[in-house]
Amino acid sequence: MSVPRFWRKIPQRYNLEGTHCETCGRYFYPPRNLCPDCRREGTIVNHTFKGVGKVVTYSVIRTASDQFSALTPYVLAIVELEEGPRLTAQLVCSPEEVTIGMPVKGVFRKIGAEGESGVIYYGTKFAPM
């Protein structure tokens, strides 16, 4: 990811910011400029998600690329937020703890780094409640 794009995406990554269509009530993450149901009649506003949800499905990553090899095994899950959107995120727990339907909450964690002295990326991961 380029540095300018990385900095533009920080509010979404740090605060789970998305959008909400006031016309039909749907929530979107990542943010959208247009509601796919209401089209131009929809009124889209910014929305900060609570960061609470449940695990829909998950996978245990045992063999990863060099950048993530120190983290293995780790859990990658699809989390459905209370407001409705689903997103892919890493879970901060051991693979044995995870179950489908498990309640989770968003936590602020290090996601990665570019080398020893490069940019450190932070963002939202999820932990059991």
Side-chain angles (χ1 to χ4, degrees):
M1 180 181 300
S2 69
V3 173
R5 180 174 174 215
F6 170 78
W7 289 107
R8 282 194 312 271
K9 302 291 182 187
I10 282 181
Q12 295 164 18
R13 187 176 291 123
Y14 285 3
N15 303 317
L16 277 180
E17 289 185 4
T19 51
H20 170 63
C21 177
E22 292 183 329
T23 307
C24 69
R26 284 186 63 188
Y27 291 88
F28 305 102
Y29 185 85
R32 290 179 169 231
N33 295 323
L34 182 72
C35 177
D37 295 331
C38 303
R39 304 283 178 184
R40 295 177 191 228
E41 280 77 39
T43 304
I44 299 288
V45 295
N46 291 332
H47 177 76
T48 301
F49 293 98
K50 291 184 276 184
V52 176
K54 65 180 180 180
V55 174
V56 176
T57 189
Y58 67 94
S59 180
V60 178
I61 309 299
R62 298 188 188 281
T63 306
S65 64
D66 293 340
Q67 185 179 4
F68 298 102
S69 62
L71 301 174
T72 56
Y74 63 91
V75 180
L76 207 56
I78 295 181
V79 174
E80 183 176 308
L81 299 175
E82 279 186 348
E83 294 92 338
R86 292 181 175 188
L87 57 128
T88 304
Q90 185 177 344
L91 297 186
V92 184
C93 63
S94 69
E96 294 79 26
E97 294 177 58
V98 183
T99 59
I100 292 176
M102 178 176 80
V104 291
K105 64 179 177 181
V107 293
F108 189 72
R109 295 285 190 271
K110 178 181 174 182
I111 293 178
E114 288 185 5
E116 293 290 320
S117 59
V119 175
I120 298 174
Y121 300 106
Y122 292 92
T124 303
K125 294 184 180 183
F126 286 83
M129 288 180 66

